[in-house]
Amino acid sequence: MNATLPNWDTLKFAYTKTDCVFSCEGSIDADPIWGEGHYLPFENVQISPAATVLSYGLSVFEGLKAERTEDGRILVFRVDRNAWRFGHSANQLAMPPFPEQRFIEAALEIVLRNERFVPPAGKGTLYLRPILFADEPQLGLRTARRYRVLIYACPVGGYFSAGDKGLRLRVLEQGRVAPGGTGNAKAAGNYAGSLNRRQSWHAQGYDDVLFLDAHEVRFVTETTGSNVFARLKDGTIVTPPLDDQILPGITRESVIRIAREVLGFKVEERPLSIDEVISDAAEVFCTGTAWTVRSVGEIQRREASHAFEKPKAAPVLLEALRGIQSGKRPDPFGWTRAVSG
Ligand code: COI
């Protein structure tokens, strides 16, 4: 064990070296495809310069969190849904899915083996990052025969340095992903493609990019790393429906159920145009594992800036979601799993 514990009071959403990584090799020529897997010390992995992932981006990933409760238990949130989506994303990129049950077992074991990195209650969470990629060396563009799954963990705090301040988003009149492409998979390339604009707008004081749909370029889709919701002036909460440009966000799905079934909001999953957001939304918020539920304070579109009033739905949704994740509230949906050695 040579990894150092971070300062729990200054945690950010950032990489920290931890103790243990799960690593599993797969070959489509083997039966079963996936080997037994190993729990290894957190060290660099060896990869061929010709590994398919490096040239052609054959990689999908996940993000999920474990959290210490006030009475000292450790809860993992909706690991079964991440297991499902990991397989769904792999299929979208013609890679062999990792069995869901094995994903769940490995994720829980990684939490246990990195238990000393689970922050004290209220100080942060342990974020798990499962990755599946093609490590076969090859030059031509083809599906690969050899793959690897890695799962590592990092203790994290909030995603944004500005605390709870409403986000400043700027609308990009462009899609995040191509129609019919990999937008509903958690494919590494979707994120890579969003960075150029995010970086230049960040330098101008915007927190993130709000993308429109790639077909008609008028419906809201996602930011670089979150789903998007609006609460309209009549109280209805609207979020874009799942399609080929929207990631099936696990926080998105959780927020919809909490809003409907716990808090009694009317929630519609339907196309939401940027014009409707500007003219009819009382509030806009973003959801994601890393982002949690984040209010938007301002949207810049073309030359005009639109400010939103004090958010009403996002804070109660955040409180209810975080309550379930941290064990402070009852979990009526059975979403959390306690990890024990
Ligand atoms: C997550 O929310 O877990 C993600 O994977 C998004 C990423 C931009 C941090």
Side-chain angles (χ1 to χ4, degrees), residues 13 61-64 85 127 129 159 186 191 224-226 288-291:
F13 191 88
F61 72 99
E62 273 304 322
L64 66 154
R85 193 173 62 184
Y127 183 87
R129 175 51 62 81
Y159 194 81
K186 209 161 167 64
Y191 294 81
T224 61
S226 76
T289 299
W291 289 38

Side-chain angles (χ1 to χ4, degrees), residues 245-313:
Q245 296 181 57
I246 303 286
L247 183 77
I250 293 156
T251 311
R252 172 190 182 278
E253 187 181 287
S254 307
V255 159
I256 290 172
R257 288 202 65 186
I258 291 172
R260 281 187 182 137
E261 297 172 39
V262 178
L263 300 173
F265 282 102
K266 182 175 167 206
V267 183
E268 291 177 358
E269 293 175 69
R270 64 162 173 81
L272 174 67
S273 73
I274 185 66
D275 288 337
E276 184 178 9
V277 168
I278 300 295
S279 63
D280 255 2
E283 162 179 8
V284 173
F285 55 94
C286 302
T287 65
T289 299
W291 289 38
T292 68
V293 180
R294 287 297 310 226
S295 290
V296 174
E298 182 193 332
I299 291 181
Q300 176 85 29
R301 187 190 186 201
R302 299 182 184 141
E303 301 314 313
S305 165
H306 186 84
F308 295 94
E309 302 156 14
K310 202 168 150 42
K312 289 202 179 115

Side-chain angles (χ1 to χ4, degrees), residues 207-226:
D207 293 298
D208 214 273
V209 181
L210 180 58
F211 291 93
L212 301 184
D213 75 288
H215 276 297
E216 299 184 39
V217 201
R218 67 188 181 100
F219 296 107
V220 165
T221 57
E222 297 191 9
T223 66
T224 61
S226 76

Side-chain angles (χ1 to χ4, degrees), residues 237-249:
I237 292 179
V238 184
T239 193
L242 296 182
D243 64 15
D244 54 1
Q245 296 181 57
I246 303 286
L247 183 77

Side-chain angles (χ1 to χ4, degrees), residues 322-339:
R322 297 287 302 117
I324 294 172
Q325 291 174 330
S326 62
K328 281 196 190 141
R329 266 182 173 252
D331 173 7
F333 305 107
W335 284 340
T336 51
R337 267 178 86 146
V339 183

